[in-house]
Short mmCIF file of all heavy atoms in Angstrom, two decimals:
data_model
loop_
_atom_site.label_atom_id
_atom_site.label_comp_id
_atom_site.label_asym_id
_atom_site.label_seq_id
_atom_site.Cartn_x
_atom_site.Cartn_y
_atom_site.Cartn_z
N THR P 663 109.84 130.58 119.86
CA THR P 663 110.70 129.42 119.81
C THR P 663 112.16 129.67 119.56
O THR P 663 112.98 128.76 119.52
CB THR P 663 110.16 128.50 118.70
OG1 THR P 663 110.30 129.26 117.46
CG2 THR P 663 108.73 128.11 118.86
N GLY P 664 112.51 130.94 119.37
CA GLY P 664 113.84 131.30 119.18
C GLY P 664 114.31 131.56 117.75
O GLY P 664 115.47 131.80 117.50
N VAL P 665 113.36 131.55 116.84
CA VAL P 665 113.58 131.74 115.38
C VAL P 665 114.21 133.17 115.15
O VAL P 665 115.21 133.31 114.45
CB VAL P 665 112.25 131.59 114.60
CG1 VAL P 665 112.53 131.87 113.07
CG2 VAL P 665 111.88 130.13 114.74
N THR P 666 113.53 134.11 115.84
CA THR P 666 114.07 135.50 115.58
C THR P 666 115.44 135.67 116.11
O THR P 666 116.35 136.28 115.45
CB THR P 666 113.14 136.47 116.35
OG1 THR P 666 111.82 136.58 115.70
CG2 THR P 666 113.73 137.92 116.43
N GLN P 667 115.75 135.10 117.31
CA GLN P 667 117.07 135.15 117.85
C GLN P 667 118.09 134.46 116.83
O GLN P 667 119.19 134.94 116.68
CB GLN P 667 117.15 134.58 119.28
CG GLN P 667 118.57 134.55 119.86
CD GLN P 667 118.51 134.26 121.31
OE1 GLN P 667 117.48 134.54 122.05
NE2 GLN P 667 119.55 133.55 121.88
N MET P 668 117.77 133.34 116.41
CA MET P 668 118.63 132.53 115.52
C MET P 668 119.08 133.37 114.23
O MET P 668 120.17 133.49 113.98
CB MET P 668 117.95 131.23 115.08
CG MET P 668 118.85 130.33 114.21
SD MET P 668 120.14 129.57 115.15
CE MET P 668 119.21 128.31 116.10
N GLU P 669 118.13 134.05 113.72
CA GLU P 669 118.41 134.78 112.44
C GLU P 669 119.16 136.02 112.88
O GLU P 669 120.22 136.36 112.22
CB GLU P 669 117.19 135.33 111.83
CG GLU P 669 117.41 136.16 110.62
CD GLU P 669 116.17 136.59 109.81
OE1 GLU P 669 115.08 136.96 110.55
OE2 GLU P 669 116.09 136.64 108.51
N TYR P 670 118.80 136.73 113.92
CA TYR P 670 119.50 138.04 114.37
C TYR P 670 120.87 137.73 114.72
O TYR P 670 121.87 138.46 114.36
CB TYR P 670 118.75 138.67 115.47
CG TYR P 670 119.09 140.07 115.91
CD1 TYR P 670 118.61 141.16 115.11
CD2 TYR P 670 119.96 140.26 116.84
CE1 TYR P 670 119.09 142.43 115.47
CE2 TYR P 670 120.41 141.54 117.27
CZ TYR P 670 120.01 142.64 116.48
OH TYR P 670 120.43 143.90 116.84
N ASP P 671 121.17 136.79 115.59
CA ASP P 671 122.43 136.37 116.03
C ASP P 671 123.25 135.85 114.92
O ASP P 671 124.52 136.05 114.90
CB ASP P 671 122.48 135.34 117.12
CG ASP P 671 122.02 135.86 118.52
OD1 ASP P 671 121.78 137.10 118.56
OD2 ASP P 671 121.98 135.16 119.54
N GLY P 672 122.76 135.24 113.95
CA GLY P 672 123.48 134.74 112.80
C GLY P 672 124.00 135.99 111.94
O GLY P 672 125.00 135.77 111.30
N ILE P 673 123.38 137.01 111.99
CA ILE P 673 123.86 138.23 111.32
C ILE P 673 124.75 139.04 112.24
O ILE P 673 125.76 139.52 111.70
CB ILE P 673 122.59 139.13 110.90
CG1 ILE P 673 121.75 138.37 109.86
CG2 ILE P 673 123.08 140.50 110.37
CD1 ILE P 673 120.46 139.09 109.54
N HIS P 674 124.42 139.27 113.51
CA HIS P 674 125.16 140.18 114.33
C HIS P 674 126.02 139.53 115.32
O HIS P 674 126.78 140.27 116.04
CB HIS P 674 124.28 141.08 115.05
CG HIS P 674 123.38 141.98 114.15
ND1 HIS P 674 123.92 143.02 113.44
CD2 HIS P 674 122.01 141.88 113.78
CE1 HIS P 674 122.99 143.53 112.65
NE2 HIS P 674 121.77 142.94 112.87
N GLY P 675 126.03 138.21 115.44
CA GLY P 675 126.99 137.60 116.31
C GLY P 675 126.22 137.04 117.57
O GLY P 675 125.10 137.47 118.07
N ALA P 676 126.68 135.96 118.19
CA ALA P 676 126.13 135.32 119.30
C ALA P 676 126.00 136.31 120.49
O ALA P 676 126.89 137.11 120.77
CB ALA P 676 126.92 134.14 119.81
#
Side-chain angles (χ1 to χ4, degrees):
T663 61
V665 176
T666 290
Q667 179 167 331
M668 184 72 72
E669 181 181 38
Y670 190 82
D671 284 1
I673 294 171
H674 299 290

